[in-house]
Amino acid sequence: MMVMSPPKHQLLMLLAALHYCKGLSQQSQTYNYFAYGSNMASSTMTNLRNLAPLASSAAVLPAHTLRFNIPGVPLVEPSSASVEPIDGMDDIMDIGAIIERGELVHGVLYKLTEEDFSSVCSTEGVPFAYSLHRCRPIPYTGDGKRAGEESLRKLDDLSMVSNEFGVSAFTLRAARKNWREGKDIPPSQSYLNVLIRGAKEFALDGSYLEKLQQIEAGRTFPGNGLAEELLRRAETRSI
């Protein structure tokens, strides 16, 4: 059976992306990565992806929204999560309004070595499924209540300039414009359960955990999807 090679331009894009992930900064060998999907669960990072985060913390990313717009395998794992910046908030952000409207994403801020960050990029499908997105999440010590919201309110009661808060980091957003502008695809319950597991592990704000628990899952067959089973198998191999 003949194996077809990817088009030359796709290979060049992949090589460029991997080079970008590996050499984003020659002045630092560590990278801050904001995870909002299944990577919130530390076991996904350590057991499934074989990474060794240098540090991790609950964090909240204002002026962004959680999406499920990365297409997967229908009836198995229909979609994966992404984040998208909210239009019109590039310069000045009204924190009070953002909190009231729920225009924020909670997650986990990881500090990674250059090698591990490169691995995240390649295994997540940069630049084909995802593209790197610069952001400034605010770390907090999770208490399962309102610690993230309180950290946001301490920044400024009125408004703030977007490049003067939080921690400079990278996260991932949908690579294709039609995915960003299209409708979400309901994810599997199994995938959602991994997100919920990560939210509980890092004691993200209670209101955000409730939001995750209320997301309607898509139809899968058989069962609820494969995400939890894949993670369980990875954990078993690590014992």
Side-chain angles (χ1 to χ4, degrees), residues 107-172:
V108 178
L109 182 65
Y110 289 103
K111 184 176 183 180
L112 302 176
T113 64
E114 183 176 337
E115 181 179 1
D116 279 358
F117 182 64
S118 177
S119 180
V120 168
C121 291
S122 59
T123 58
E124 291 286 9
V126 176
F128 305 109
Y130 290 98
S131 61
L132 289 171
H133 174 61
R134 289 183 178 272
C135 61
R136 299 193 70 89
I138 294 93
Y140 65 91
T141 301
D143 62 1
K145 299 177 181 178
R146 299 177 58 183
E149 177 182 327
E150 291 171 357
S151 295
L152 276 176
R153 291 191 184 279
K154 289 178 182 177
L155 295 176
D156 195 329
D157 291 334
L158 299 174
S159 63
M160 64 183 181
V161 179
S162 63
N163 62 356
E164 294 183 355
F165 68 94
V167 175
S168 178
F170 288 94
T171 193
L172 304 175

Side-chain angles (χ1 to χ4, degrees), residues 22 34 40 48 62 87 97 102 117 173 202 205 211 221 228:
K22 291 179 179 179
F34 178 74
M40 287 195 296
L48 188 62
D87 292 338
F117 182 64
R173 65 180 300 197
F202 285 89
D205 280 12
K211 177 180 177 178
F221 181 85
E228 288 178 293

Side-chain angles (χ1 to χ4, degrees), residues 13-235:
M13 287 176 62
L14 179 57
L15 289 172
L18 292 177
H19 175 74
Y20 182 59
C21 290
K22 291 179 179 179
L24 286 168
S25 171
Q26 297 180 353
Q27 298 179 347
S28 175
Q29 295 182 351
T30 62
Y31 300 92
N32 294 318
Y33 162 61
F34 178 74
Y36 49 79
S38 60
N39 285 345
M40 287 195 296
S42 63
S43 184
T44 300
M45 298 290 279
T46 58
N47 293 314
L48 188 62
R49 300 193 183 281
N50 294 314
L51 305 179
L54 302 175
S56 58
S57 170
V60 58
L61 180 62
H64 286 71
T65 185
L66 181 68
R67 300 283 307 277
F68 294 91
N69 56 0
I70 309 295
V73 180
L75 299 180
V76 180
E77 286 296 341
S79 66
S80 296
S82 176
V83 292
E84 297 298 335
I86 296 174
D87 292 338
M89 294 190 180
D90 293 334
D91 297 318
I92 302 296
M93 290 193 288
D94 185 330
I95 290 299
I98 286 174
I99 293 173
E100 292 303 318
R101 294 193 294 261
E103 295 173 338
L104 43 82
V105 177
H106 289 259
V108 178
L109 182 65
Y110 289 103
K111 184 176 183 180
L112 302 176
T113 64
E114 183 176 337
E115 181 179 1
D116 279 358
F117 182 64
S118 177
S119 180
V120 168
C121 291
S122 59
T123 58
E124 291 286 9
V126 176
F128 305 109
Y130 290 98
S131 61
L132 289 171
H133 174 61
R134 289 183 178 272
C135 61
R136 299 193 70 89
I138 294 93
Y140 65 91
T141 301
D143 62 1
K145 299 177 181 178
R146 299 177 58 183
E149 177 182 327
E150 291 171 357
S151 295
L152 276 176
R153 291 191 184 279
K154 289 178 182 177
L155 295 176
D156 195 329
D157 291 334
L158 299 174
S159 63
M160 64 183 181
V161 179
S162 63
N163 62 356
E164 294 183 355
F165 68 94
V167 175
S168 178
F170 288 94
T171 193
L172 304 175
R173 65 180 300 197
R176 300 184 184 182
K177 183 179 180 181
N178 61 309
W179 293 350
R180 298 175 184 176
E181 297 177 350
K183 294 182 178 179
D184 280 10
I185 305 168
S188 75
Q189 185 61 58
S190 181
Y191 181 74
L192 286 171
N193 288 345
V194 178
L195 271 66
I196 291 168
R197 172 176 169 173
K200 290 180 177 179
E201 178 183 354
F202 285 89
L204 304 186
D205 280 12
S207 60
Y208 193 74
L209 174 59
E210 291 178 5
K211 177 180 177 178
L212 294 178
Q213 292 171 328
Q214 292 170 3
I215 294 173
E216 185 175 351
R219 188 165 68 94
T220 54
F221 181 85
N224 293 325
L226 296 178
E228 288 178 293
E229 177 61 18
L230 292 174
L231 185 54
R232 186 192 66 79
R233 292 184 182 182
E235 291 170 336

